[in-house]
Amino acid sequence: YKFPLLQFFAGAMVPTSIPEETVPEVAFVGRSNVGKSSLINALAESSTVRTSDKPGLTQQLNFYSVGRLFNIVDMPGYGFAFVDEEKRLAWRELMETYMTKRSTLKMVYVTIDARHGLKVGDKDFLAMLDKNRVPFQVVLTKCDLIILPTLARRYMMVLDDVNNYRHARKEVALVSSRTQSGVNQLRKEILKTVGN
Ligand code: GDP
């Protein structure tokens, strides 16, 4: 499986600058440093998405066109210790407006570091998605960094948690951008999700 060329086409810092709905979209969200940008690049075999972003800098939604067939949206990470409340509220409004009103949004991939699993903050975020009927799937990243028995245990735990949400895909993807493990499988699932 292969993605067509990934190209950045819009950034939105406020809800009013979100581009109009056209092709199907999938979005990626996760805490800063979880490996989200590396994953998008691995999926698209590109180096377009800037990796190792410093947390708390540009908090915007980044829209990438994938050969004009579908879009990938890189969402600002959640779980930041925001310095000021105003910024936190603006971030929340942007994310919630986008995710709850976007009819072209087919799936939100929530990236979680395989070493950490789901923390309280992550579960709060999943509950928010579920409440708003946003379809989502959990993706465990950096799977190369833990030994197989630990990974198997973490997978079972997360799958168990995910089963509690109505709008969650009852499956957990295991990936490593470093070894490419699981990347092709996820690529295939994304193509299916956007109807290709
Ligand atoms: P983001 O902030 O979630 O976009 O995270 P990045 O993609 O920028 O990655 C954060 C750090 O984790 C970088 O130093 C990456 O090299 C590293 N990283 C990303 N993916 C993997 C992975 O699959 N395995 C390992 N070992 N490191 C990774």
Side-chain angles (χ1 to χ4, degrees), residues 32-38 51-52 142 144-145 176-178:
S32 164
N33 220 40
V34 69
K36 179 166 58 81
S37 319
S38 302
T51 55
S52 298
K142 306 193 187 183
D144 59 292
L145 294 178
S176 164
S177 305
R178 183 155 297 173

Side-chain angles (χ1 to χ4, degrees), residues 53-127:
D53 279 352
K54 296 278 171 296
L57 285 179
T58 3
Q59 287 296 293
Q60 63 170 21
L61 295 170
N62 287 313
F63 289 78
Y64 296 89
S65 170
V66 189
R68 301 193 183 178
L69 290 176
F70 65 96
N71 295 336
I72 288 180
V73 184
D74 185 6
M75 302 209 276
Y78 60 92
F80 287 130
F82 279 102
V83 198
D84 69 276
E85 179 70 4
E86 206 174 306
K87 274 200 184 131
R88 195 183 66 80
L89 290 174
W91 170 85
R92 225 191 131 94
E93 198 204 341
L94 179 64
M95 298 276 280
E96 295 199 8
T97 305
Y98 169 72
M99 289 190 300
T100 60
K101 301 212 166 94
R102 195 77 167 170
S103 69
T104 45
L105 180 60
K106 302 300 174 197
M107 187 72 72
V108 173
Y109 292 95
V110 183
T111 54
I112 301 288
D113 192 316
R115 294 171 295 177
H116 307 148
L118 292 172
K119 300 281 193 259
V120 176
D122 301 313
K123 290 181 188 179
D124 288 346
F125 187 78
L126 299 186

